[in-house]
Amino acid sequence: MSHTTYYSAYSIVGILFLLGILFVVFALTANRLLSPFRPTREKLLTYESGVDPVGEGWAHTHVRYYVYAYLYVIFAVDSVYLFPWATIFAAPGFRGTTLAEMFVFIGFLAVGILYAYKKGVLTWLEQ
Amino acid sequence: MSSLTWWLEVGLRIVVVFLGFMVIPLVVGQMEHKAMAHMQGRLGPMEAGGFHGWAQLVADGVKFAQKEAVVPAAADRRVFQAAPAVALIPYLLALIVIPIGPGTQVGVDLDLGLFFALAVMGIAVLGPLMAGWSSANKYSLLGALRSAAQLMAYELPMLLSAVSVAMAAGTLSLPGILGAWHWYWIPWQLVGGFVFFTAGLAELQRPPFDMPVADSEIIFGAYTEYTGLRFALFLLAEYAGIVVLCLLTTVLFLGGWHGPVADQQLGWLWTAIKTFALAFVVIWLRVSYPRLRADQLQKFAWTVLIPLALFQLALTGVVKVL
């Protein structure tokens, strides 16, 4: 397909996406037609190791990793910018300077991780 | 080329991708049954289909299709029902950009192929999150939160090591990357390959990174409340994920269709051999490694994989420019 254009390429992806949805709908419809449907109160109870559930499932939990989440958001947004840069950094006229820029970037990331490490963020429990 | 032949060609490509998506995960699943069994001194399935139980997973599928779809009364119904599709369809989409042979043996050659594959794989992880939250079950919630933590820790090293290959090739198109490939990329990108494959395993929640579905602690994590076909779709998503990860690792780090002999004619065979060898490693790890604890898992990502990925970036940049 040498003459595939931008829009036609993505429309093929779109067709496949629709096919995927169709497959799931078809499979679940077949499941509905083939399987029994006899809901009882006990069957629809939330599973909690065989005893009656206590309280709600949407409970408060201690999210210990929220600092990891901050780190992730910062670094992931940064690293997305690497993709366009990666395709041109070795092109004529870019080489030396862009490589130096990469080391600045890696330096920022490394200092960030080192700082988090020193602050004890990368250990699971506060000691 | 007239528009009719164009449509025929597109249709054929989509059908091939879809068939591959339906069949190869089952082959990997059967391989897992058999490889695990023999590593543990068992035989594995022997009855279904006659020859060494080859039809076991087909029989499982028929069984799942006949099971009642139970949605717990406390669950958030629509999200609960949609979650398996969100987990499954992204892997189907990722398959279309992965080349299996030289030239035009790829579903569609997107300029952004690598980025596209990583982006849709990121969406797939929303599936267990939706499942866990909507189930209104404590086990499911814990499993979903563990999935979330794991995704956040391992997405970054995966992105960084993939960027390293894009830097080496100077393009984000997967066929383009293979076009620029030379054999010395294997040692050059070895560290990146290790990081990518390990991080991918963690994203798929495969052992030893299967803490989000640890059966001895939280039943089956986010999938605890699922029954019947929706449960089967989650399982299919896991195996489709293994296929996509092994194919991507093959293309990015092991040269894809390049091989010692006849790679212009038999490129697809080299891709298949490398992919199944990697799938075997995935199974092997499941049999031989204990599960990592939550804190060990985070620590491994942030203090081992990310520094290694940054090192690989620096190495790639320096070698490429000098």
Side-chain angles (χ1 to χ4, degrees):
Chain A
M1 277 193 290
S2 49
H3 68 300
T4 312
T5 60
Y6 180 83
Y7 288 110
S8 65
Y10 279 94
S11 59
I12 297 170
V13 176
I15 294 170
L16 189 69
F17 177 60
L18 292 180
L19 188 69
I21 293 177
L22 261 181
F23 163 70
V24 173
V25 170
F26 169 79
L28 291 179
T29 311
N31 178 223
R32 189 177 301 171
L33 295 177
L34 288 173
S35 64
F37 181 64
R38 291 184 204 90
T40 61
R41 211 185 67 80
E42 279 74 23
K43 196 187 278 177
L44 297 185
L45 269 185
T46 302
Y47 174 78
E48 209 162 295
S49 305
V51 295
D52 285 347
V54 179
E56 262 202 308
W58 289 308
H60 284 275
T61 46
H62 184 180
V63 182
R64 290 184 195 280
Y65 57 84
Y66 74 96
V67 193
Y68 291 102
Y70 287 140
L71 279 179
Y72 170 68
V73 170
I74 296 164
F75 291 155
V77 172
D78 284 350
S79 62
V80 165
Y81 290 111
L82 276 175
F83 280 91
W85 169 85
T87 58
I88 54 130
F89 89 103
F94 285 102
R95 308 174 80 91
T97 328
T98 37
L99 187 69
E101 282 169 5
M102 184 198 70
F103 277 102
V104 172
F105 174 81
I106 292 180
F108 270 114
L109 279 191
V111 167
I113 290 179
L114 260 179
Y115 179 72
Y117 184 74
K118 277 282 179 197
K119 281 280 178 187
V121 169
L122 300 185
T123 48
W124 196 248
L125 295 167
E126 306 91 61
Q127 272 137 15
Chain B
M1 217 191 308
S2 71
S3 90
L4 180 66
T5 48
W6 188 83
W7 276 108
L8 276 177
E9 197 184 326
V10 168
L12 185 68
R13 280 165 196 278
I14 288 179
V15 167
V16 169
V17 168
F18 191 75
L19 284 181
F21 175 72
M22 290 284 97
V23 175
I24 303 172
L26 294 189
V27 177
V28 173
Q30 181 68 10
M31 188 165 103
E32 176 166 50
H33 274 328
K34 283 302 192 184
M36 277 183 75
H38 285 284
M39 284 177 186
Q40 295 166 344
R42 301 182 283 119
L43 285 176
M46 289 298 286
E47 297 296 328
F51 180 74
H52 288 266
W54 67 270
Q56 181 60 45
L57 286 169
V58 181
D60 281 347
V62 173
K63 179 196 73 179
F64 277 128
Q66 297 175 57
K67 284 203 167 185
E68 183 174 355
V70 179
V71 181
D76 185 345
R77 203 175 172 82
R78 286 179 182 237
V79 180
F80 184 89
Q81 288 176 322
V86 177
L88 182 65
I89 294 173
Y91 292 121
L92 171 65
L93 292 182
L95 275 184
I96 201 171
V97 295
I98 300 175
I100 54 165
T104 57
Q105 294 178 37
V106 53
V108 48
D109 180 5
L110 292 186
D111 298 341
L112 275 175
L114 174 60
F115 193 73
F116 176 83
L118 292 173
V120 291
M121 282 175 79
I123 292 173
V125 191
L126 287 179
L129 257 181
M130 285 169 66
W133 182 252
S134 66
S135 293
N137 177 316
K138 299 185 187 80
Y139 297 124
S140 303
L141 181 62
L142 283 176
L145 289 180
R146 288 183 180 189
S147 301
Q150 197 154 313
L151 164 72
M152 286 190 305
Y154 286 88
E155 184 80 6
L156 189 59
M158 199 170 178
L159 281 178
L160 291 175
S161 52
V163 166
S164 156
V165 179
M167 283 164 68
T171 171
L172 289 174
S173 142
L174 290 171
I177 287 173
L178 284 181
W181 193 82
H182 292 283
W183 66 267
Y184 66 83
W185 284 29
I186 292 182
W188 183 23
Q189 302 292 336
L190 190 66
V191 177
F194 167 75
V195 172
F196 186 85
F197 191 62
T198 316
L201 272 184
E203 282 214 22
L204 296 175
Q205 305 172 2
R206 287 288 299 180
F209 306 105
D210 61 338
M211 192 197 54
V213 293
D215 53 347
S216 50
E217 302 168 28
I218 49 173
I219 320 299
F220 205 41
Y223 317 132
T224 302
E225 291 287 359
Y226 279 87
T227 59
L229 201 65
R230 288 201 169 79
F231 183 74
L233 291 181
F234 273 122
L235 285 187
L236 180 61
E238 177 179 344
Y239 288 92
I242 295 176
V243 173
V244 169
L245 172 70
C246 294
L247 271 170
L248 268 183
T249 311
T250 301
V251 167
L252 295 177
F253 297 99
L254 297 178
W257 48 263
H258 289 277
V261 287
D263 52 6
Q264 289 302 319
Q265 296 81 40
L266 292 174
W268 60 272
L269 188 62
W270 287 115
T271 307
I273 290 173
K274 292 171 191 175
T275 304
F276 277 102
L278 283 174
F280 180 76
V281 173
V282 172
I283 295 161
W284 192 3
L285 289 174
R286 174 172 175 183
V287 181
S288 48
Y289 270 91
R291 182 181 298 136
L292 262 69
R293 232 170 38 219
D295 57 329
Q296 294 169 333
L297 205 128
Q298 297 287 344
K299 203 173 167 147
F300 183 63
W302 289 98
T303 60
V304 178
L305 289 186
I306 289 178
L308 278 180
L310 291 178
F311 164 77
Q312 176 69 66
L313 271 187
L315 180 71
T316 308
V318 170
V319 170
K320 178 84 178 176
V321 166
L322 295 187

